[in-house]
Amino acid sequence: MTMTFKKLSAALFLAGLSMTATVVQAAPEGTLTVVVPNFGREVLDLGKTSTQDLQYTGHIHEPLIGADVDGKLSAERGLAKSWSMSEDARTYTLNLREGVKWHDGKPFTADDVVFSLTERFVAPDAVCTFCKQLEQVEQVEAVDDHTVKIMLKEPDPAFLAVLTARDGDIRMLPRHGYQKVEGGYEMVGDPIGTGPWKYKNFERGMEMLLTANTEYWDADRVPDFETLRLVPRSQPSTRLAMVRAGEADMAFVDPRQVIEAKNAGLNVLVAKGSALGTLSFYGCWQEQMLCHQQAFREAMVKAIDMDAVIKSIYPEGTGERLATVYWTEGSLGDDPALKPYAYDPARAAEILKEIGYTGTPVKLWSVRTNAMPEAPEIIELVDGYLRAAGFKTEVTPMEFGAFRPRYASSPQRWETNYAAHLYLNGAGPRPTIMPNLKVGMISHEKGGLIQSYWNMPWMDQQWDHLSSLTSLEELDVALRDLNRQVYSEYSFHPVVMRNQVAVAGPRVQSWAPTPYGFAWHLETVRRNDAQ
C-alpha cells in the first residue's frame, strides 16, 4: 500500500464531494456471468452474513462511505456525500446523498441509517463481522431526512472505517424491508437495496441473478449488462475452464492460474490487496495449550519456509510477503523496520528439544474461503514443513460455514488436547487497524469476535488505552508500539497480502474495483462492444 499517514488522515476525515457529471450511456444489455468460489452461508439478510458473503450480497446494498479506485475513503461510491468529526472524536455528522431511492422506489432517508446502525445490525440475531463494532455507538440521530449525527460512547478517531465499503460489511438496509420478530428481525420479501444491481432470483448452491438498476444515483456506474449472473464453483480449475469455454465471462481464480490464463489468451484483472493471509494460532489464550508459550510459537514460525510457500502459490504480481499480522505499508502504526520472519528449521528443532516437546499434535484447519480460496494448498505445505521439523500434526478439512461457529460462538471451544489450532485467516487490509484489532484480537467481553491473541487480558488493556485516544497522531504512535510487541512475541505467522485475481473472456473490456478490501464493484465491468 502506498498511502502515507498524512494521505490516510485526509482520506479518512476530509469531507468528500459528490460528482454529478452527465453521462450518455447505452441501455444495459446481455448477461454478465461471473464465477465465484462459493456462496458462503447462502443467506440474503446482511445482518446474518459477514465479509465472506459480500461477493454475492454486496452488489445489492451500499455503505455510507465508499472508497475510490486507489483505496482511499471517498464520497464517490457511498451514500454519504460529506462528513465531519468533532474535536473530541465522539460525534460524526454525515450529509446523505439526496435523491437516492430503494429498489422499490421509496426514498432512502436518515431514518434508514438509524434503523441499520441502532436496530438491525445490533439485534441479538445479527452475526455480521462488524456488527460488534457498533456497540461503541451511543446514539444515532436523524437531524433531518439527509443529515445523520452519530454519537459514540468513547472517542474513536478511526470510527468511520467501520462504515466503509473497503473495511467492513455494514451496508444500509431499509426500515420498511424488515419486521421485528422474537430475537431480532427478518426480511419482508426479497432483499431491497440502493445499489447498482437489483435482486431478481437466488437458487442456493446454483446461481444468483441480479438486474441492472437503470435509475441508480451514479450514472457512471449504471451497469453495461442488463443481468448479472453469479455462479459458485468450488474447484479453481472449473472456474477457469468455464471462462475458457465461453460458459462464463469472468471468474475469480487462484493466483497460480494466472500463467495458464494468460497462455490461453484471457485477460487477467487484479484488485490489489484483497486479503491479508495470516497463520493464526487459535485457542492459545488457554494456558493448557503449548501455543500459550512464546517459545512454542517461535518454533512453529521458524519451522516454515514462508518464502518458498509464497513462491509456490503466488506468481509475480498476485501477492506480497507480509511481515506483520494487520499492518501494511502506510497503515496506522506501520513500522518498516519489521521484516518477515526468517526460516530457521535448525532453531525450531532446538526449541522443541529445549521445551521438552513430546508430540502433542498441532491441529491444522484446512478451510477454503472466498478471501483465501488457495488456503488448503498453503495448509498442505505448512503441514509438510511442521512435520519435517519434528511436530506431530493433524489436518482437518472443513467448509467455512461449519468452521466459523468455532470462533464466533461464545464461549469458544478450542480443544486443549492439541498444542495449537492453526487456521489461515484472510482478514481485509484495513489501514486504520482498529477494526481488525477488535474483530481479531480482543476478548468477547470487550466486543471482540475471533480472540486470536494469546494474552487477551493484556490485549484488552491495550484496547482500552487505544480507545481513549482522540487524534490519529496519538493513535499512530500507540499502534506502532503494539505492532512491535505483537511481532516480538511470534503471536502470528503473517503470510501474504494477496491480490484478488480474476480472468475475463472477450466480452469484458475492463473492471474498476476498490483495492484493499471487499468492494468488488462488478457494476464497473464494462462490455467489450467490439465482440
Side-chain angles (χ1 to χ4, degrees):
M1 195 179 303
T2 58
M3 199 185 309
T4 65
F5 173 61
K6 288 184 178 179
K7 287 181 180 178
L8 171 66
S9 302
L12 276 172
F13 301 110
L14 290 184
L17 298 177
S18 59
M19 300 179 67
T20 57
T22 301
V23 177
V24 178
Q25 185 172 329
E29 63 178 65
T31 297
L32 172 67
T33 299
V34 179
V35 191
V36 298
N38 61 61
F39 274 168
R41 277 164 291 180
E42 300 193 313
V43 175
L44 299 178
D45 178 0
L46 264 68
K48 299 177 181 178
T49 65
S50 70
T51 51
Q52 298 290 337
D53 301 287
L54 287 175
Q55 62 172 333
Y56 64 95
T57 61
H59 310 295
I60 302 170
H61 307 278
E62 295 185 284
L64 279 174
I65 298 173
D68 63 20
V69 293
D70 296 321
K72 300 181 180 68
L73 301 191
S74 166
E76 291 181 22
R77 296 179 173 186
L79 293 171
K81 63 181 181 181
S82 63
W83 52 86
S84 61
M85 180 184 75
S86 64
E87 290 187 5
D88 64 359
R90 289 189 57 184
T91 301
Y92 290 85
T93 301
L94 285 74
N95 300 306
L96 306 180
R97 204 175 292 280
E98 298 179 10
V100 176
K101 294 182 180 180
W102 296 104
H103 293 152
D104 61 1
K106 295 182 179 180
F108 163 72
T109 69
D111 182 61
D112 295 307
V113 178
V114 173
F115 169 75
S116 300
L117 301 185
T118 68
E119 298 180 49
R120 178 64 196 106
F121 285 120
V122 297
D125 65 336
V127 298
C128 59
T129 303
F130 275 65
C131 287
K132 282 185 173 292
Q133 304 276 4
L134 297 176
E135 291 178 356
Q136 62 186 309
V137 174
E138 183 174 61
Q139 181 183 354
V140 179
E141 176 188 347
V143 179
D144 56 41
D145 280 352
H146 299 100
T147 308
V148 174
K149 187 173 290 187
I150 302 173
M151 289 150 276
L152 307 180
K153 298 173 184 176
E154 302 290 343
D156 185 355
F159 172 75
L160 284 186
V162 174
L163 306 179
T164 68
R166 184 195 65 194
D167 293 13
D169 52 4
I170 301 295
R171 303 294 188 263
M172 293 301 99
L173 302 175
R175 181 182 290 278
H176 66 275
Y178 284 80
Q179 64 182 10
K180 193 171 181 57
V181 296
E182 183 178 356
Y185 288 84
E186 66 178 14
M187 286 197 309
V188 178
D190 295 333
I192 300 171
T194 59
W197 297 100
K198 298 190 294 185
Y199 176 85
K200 182 177 182 181
N201 188 52
F202 185 49
E203 294 184 49
R204 301 187 187 283
M206 297 294 292
E207 67 178 14
M208 185 177 200
L209 295 179
L210 306 175
T211 59
N213 180 8
T214 56
E215 303 299 319
Y216 186 56
W217 58 264
D218 184 353
D220 283 339
R221 290 192 292 126
V222 171
D224 275 4
F225 294 87
E226 182 179 12
T227 303
L228 171 61
R229 177 175 175 250
L230 298 170
V231 180
R233 293 292 185 272
S234 61
Q235 291 301 316
S237 58
T238 302
R239 297 197 295 273
L240 178 59
M242 289 180 67
V243 179
R244 294 186 65 172
E247 298 174 14
D249 301 296
M250 185 172 169
F252 294 104
V253 299
D254 288 1
R256 286 179 296 177
Q257 295 177 291
V258 164
I259 296 174
E260 181 183 355
K262 288 182 176 179
N263 290 339
L266 300 177
N267 192 16
V268 176
L269 309 171
V270 173
K272 185 174 176 61
S274 64
L276 304 178
T278 301
L279 277 178
S280 298
F281 309 141
Y282 285 3
C284 300
W285 47 267
Q286 301 173 105
E287 295 183 8
Q288 305 97 309
M289 294 178 64
L290 282 174
C291 62
H292 188 73
Q293 304 175 25
Q294 179 174 319
F296 190 79
R297 298 194 302 272
E298 181 181 354
M300 284 192 289
V301 167
K302 291 186 180 297
I304 303 167
D305 188 350
M306 200 59 74
D307 283 332
V309 171
I310 291 177
K311 185 177 180 180
S312 173
I313 300 292
Y314 298 96
E316 184 178 357
T318 65
E320 302 173 15
R321 177 82 190 271
L322 268 181
T324 57
V325 57
Y326 296 138
W327 287 267
T328 54
E329 183 182 355
S331 67
L332 294 176
D334 172 40
D335 185 350
L338 302 179
K339 304 302 179 183
Y341 296 123
Y343 174 50
D344 191 345
R347 177 56 185 154
E350 188 177 275
I351 293 173
L352 291 183
K353 185 177 181 180
E354 289 173 356
I355 66 176
Y357 177 65
T358 58
T360 304
V362 174
K363 169 78 87 171
L364 283 76
W365 296 94
S366 180
V367 182
R368 193 182 305 278
T369 64
N370 299 330
M372 298 292 295
E374 65 276 13
E377 288 74 26
I378 294 176
I379 289 295
E380 181 179 353
L381 294 173
V382 168
D383 178 51
Y385 280 113
L386 290 177
R387 286 188 288 105
F391 293 88
K392 183 179 179 180
T393 63
E394 180 181 309
V395 179
T396 299
M398 186 173 286
E399 291 295 321
F400 176 73
F403 178 79
R404 188 179 188 272
R406 282 191 152 264
Y407 65 72
S409 299
S410 184
Q412 288 180 346
R413 291 181 176 86
W414 299 107
E415 297 87 348
T416 57
N417 58 310
Y418 292 101
H421 293 263
L422 265 64
Y423 169 69
L424 186 59
N425 187 36
R430 298 177 175 109
T432 55
I433 302 301
M434 294 291 281
N436 272 340
L437 290 182
K438 186 165 188 179
V439 171
M441 290 197 196
I442 66 174
S443 71
H444 284 174
E445 290 72 22
K446 284 290 181 182
L449 178 66
I450 298 176
Q451 299 189 146
S452 59
Y453 188 67
W454 69 275
N455 185 352
M456 285 191 296
W458 183 84
M459 183 57 69
D460 286 352
Q461 291 176 358
Q462 302 308 303
W463 178 260
D464 287 341
H465 171 63
L466 294 167
S467 300
S468 70
L469 303 177
T470 60
S471 75
L472 285 177
E473 290 77 10
E474 292 178 309
L475 191 58
D476 182 48
V477 172
L479 285 171
R480 186 170 295 107
D481 291 340
L482 179 63
N483 184 8
R484 292 166 180 164
Q485 181 68 25
V486 170
Y487 176 89
S488 71
E489 298 168 341
Y490 297 91
S491 302
F492 304 83
H493 196 355
V495 180
V496 66
M497 182 173 79
R498 80 184 299 277
N499 298 330
Q500 182 64 56
V501 180
V503 297
R507 292 209 309 143
V508 172
Q509 181 182 74
S510 61
W511 176 43
T514 290
Y516 311 121
F518 303 97
W520 292 355
H521 290 293
L522 291 181
E523 78 278 2
T524 67
V525 175
R526 293 308 176 198
R527 189 177 61 240
N528 184 2
D529 290 326
Q531 293 298 315

